[in-house]
Amino acid sequence: MRRRHMILSAFFFNPQGDHRMSWRHPRAPGREVFGLDYYRKLAEAAERAKLDTLFIADHVAIWDSVESGVAHYANARLEPLTLLSALSAVTSHIGLIATASSSYSEPYNLARTFASLDHLSGGRAAWNVVTSAMDEEALNFGRDGNIEHAHRYDRAAEYLDAVTALWDSWEDEAVLLDRESGYFADPGKVHRIDHAGPHFKVRGPLNVPRPPQGHPLIVQAGSSEAGKDLAAAYADVHFAIIRSIDEGLRYRADINARLAKHGRAPESFKILPGILPIVAGSADEAKERQEFLETLLPERVGIDLLSSWAGIDLSAYPPDGPLPELPDESTFNGGRTSLNRVRGLANQNLSIRQIARKLANSGSMPTVAGTAKEVADQLEAWFVAGAVDGYNLMFPLLPEDWVNFTETVVPELQRRGVFRQEYEPGTLRDRLGLSRPPNRFAVARDTHRAAS
Amino acid sequence: MRRRHMILSAFFFNPQGDHRMSWRHPRAPGREVFGLDYYRKLAEAAERAKLDTLFIADHVAIWDSVESGVAHYANARLEPLTLLSALSAVTSHIGLIATASSSYSEPYNLARTFASLDHLSGGRAAWNVVTSAMDEEALNFGRDGNIEHAHRYDRAAEYLDAVTALWDSWEDEAVLLDRESGYFADPGKVHRIDHAGPHFKVRGPLNVPRPPQGHPLIVQAGSSEAGKDLAAAYADVHFAIIRSIDEGLRYRADINARLAKHGRAPESFKILPGILPIVAGSADEAKERQEFLETLLPERVGIDLLSSWAGIDLSAYPPDGPLPELPDESTFNGGRTSLNRVRGLANQNLSIRQIARKLANSGSMPTVAGTAKEVADQLEAWFVAGAVDGYNLMFPLLPEDWVNFTETVVPELQRRGVFRQEYEPGTLRDRLGLSRPPNRFAVARDTHRAAS
């Protein structure tokens, strides 16, 4: 069954907004981005507007291989799970999507943290599974360079196997708390997982009972082939790049075919493209806002970012000349989604300077600019056409674009009946129309019993 | 300068109380120990009483190598950092001590989480550094057995070096946020740590600015020789076992000698012994409370716990006979503090059943039982004698013993002028009289400048 309402997720990577130089904006926040109150206000605005989720992206390093990174680019940020755990105590309904890397952490620790957050938040935890692609990240975890791309996704899949097994290691009825008999738990319903694969060995059981959602929601971003396969096998929600209704319909068809291989129904998988909403009193004003942000970007930052995405040090190339030949995707070790976006612009005969400016300003996500009504028109049209299940809202400037969206675009969508007026009861899974995963150990026992 | 006020830290390992079968008590909490509200109320009671810290102990496994562990013993628990992050949003003054293992996590991740919690809480984060001694823990992290004892402490020391260097990797003045020039940070004040040791390789810098406390407080528990040396080198607060004023004075003298080797003053190091306060209307009633809790312990649990502490499977030995010969401490791979407590009782010619009953009921910490006035008398006497800096309060039954203590013993201590009436301003370090650590990179530069 298709949901009647679109899903709206409020995202940030930079705490000052998704435009990477947003911190320079005169109305950007200052040092308060390292304290709780700033985020509490963002969360409260999102919850007043009945948004589905808060989504915090992350890296496990400073982008410092070029000096412009540390000097100009605001990539110091609080750890998302810590921050969302704090926000879980001052919110009641909104989903909490924390990014955590499967490349540089232990499955047992991660399973436990998300299970704990799911308990504390009453079933609102979601894990955005990422693989870490930056050399700067590898160097913080004892590696000399980045884990090879295919290997990174193999490892992520195995990581997910171990983590979801740990979440199942306590069956739903395992906790007895029977004071009379002295049985705290039913030992027959608490399971070792005995995971042993090429990357991890984890015995289990977890030391946290099964989370309220069964499994915290699994979110996956990244549109490489390996990324889409991983998503179809494991994810509930997928962040994608979609630039038109047609592209959305094609993307959905492709994903549905992948889901079918895993015996999954299309409804079990929600596709949310990222968009940058620029809402203003008029289309002209929206354009001005966007252009003003672009003036904040030092040219050096753009070219350094482009170097990083292209996997080529461009500092020695003339900025008004063309890009040198790009690496082949199939052997590229960095983020392939970004590489393909670079390739698209290179094919348009733009100079290094132009490509850098364009990419560094917009990231890789499409902009939806205009009045609240115009923005709502587009969001509604894509959703009603079945091209998307909702949106991952990447606001250029925080807090104002975020708050403004909740106060102008959301009421418009509510009036049109394509977004909720009140939170539905239940867990995050319930609200998104995603079913609670069965417990593999209970299923195995029932299957065994039925067969014997 | 000696502090005028004792330090009071409210501790729990089992969320139902430090008596390990407390969950069976008729007034113990039920499933609410997996939700936030239960802990929020504990934290609020502690903050109303102006206690210094909440302290949550932890293991990274279920104690399941014997069936009685899972069946009878309530050792499922939420992950402490997640829980304390949530509580940071609903408290304002109390310190937040989270236990985290240096054996099975990555220094970069841990440094980042504690730095984030310190920012979010306004300088209230504290890390109780533990090494993981249980085989059950090792098996959850790809190891076939426990890391060898000496190696575990070497690793912990190196882990602390890397983590504290990461906290220093942003100097206090590194964040510029200069919108005009476009300088987010001063690249000369953001440092790679380039840590490379036998256990870890971490490049840094951290991607979180320096925490408000400089370094979140370092807490260490465990009274083995290796533990005390680690504490003297790195810790601000030390949890100890102290059973009398004389023992406390000797313990302090021993620690002071160790501190001197590191050029540290006695005041930079606070010693808090663990105590189990049993407060009642009369001494007889306190005794009854204690005896009632003892009736809740299945004999099997006691003997299994003793097996685990002694490092010997006792299930085949007659419970009314003596303990077999205990392992030698110097080569013992488990927790040495527990082993020594077992040895102390074995030397008193008690049977396996008696030792098991005694140890499993009291843990290894002394009980202080009586009326509020009597309990306050002892707490005051030890503090005034200089034998302790305060106490780690391990309440047998939660929430009632915790709340009761804050409402009866704390006001008595306040009346006597040995405990604060109001929170002092500042960070947790400020309140405990512990200075803010200088930044090693700033110190190195200043030293270099002075010399040239």
Side-chain angles (χ1 to χ4, degrees), chain B residues 169-192:
Chain B
S169 63
W170 288 63
E171 293 186 34
D172 289 312
E173 304 77 21
V175 175
L176 299 175
L177 286 178
D178 185 341
R179 294 170 211 242
E180 190 60 34
S181 68
Y183 271 80
F184 179 80
D186 178 347
K189 293 186 173 168
V190 180
H191 305 275
R192 296 178 181 180

Side-chain angles (χ1 to χ4, degrees), chain A residues 25 64 71 179 184 201 203, chain B residues 25 64 71 144 179 184 203:
Chain A
H25 193 284
D64 73 341
R179 293 170 212 243
F184 178 80
K201 240 175 95 184
R203 196 196 70 164
Chain B
H25 194 285
D64 73 340
D144 291 323
R179 294 170 211 242
F184 179 80
R203 196 197 67 164

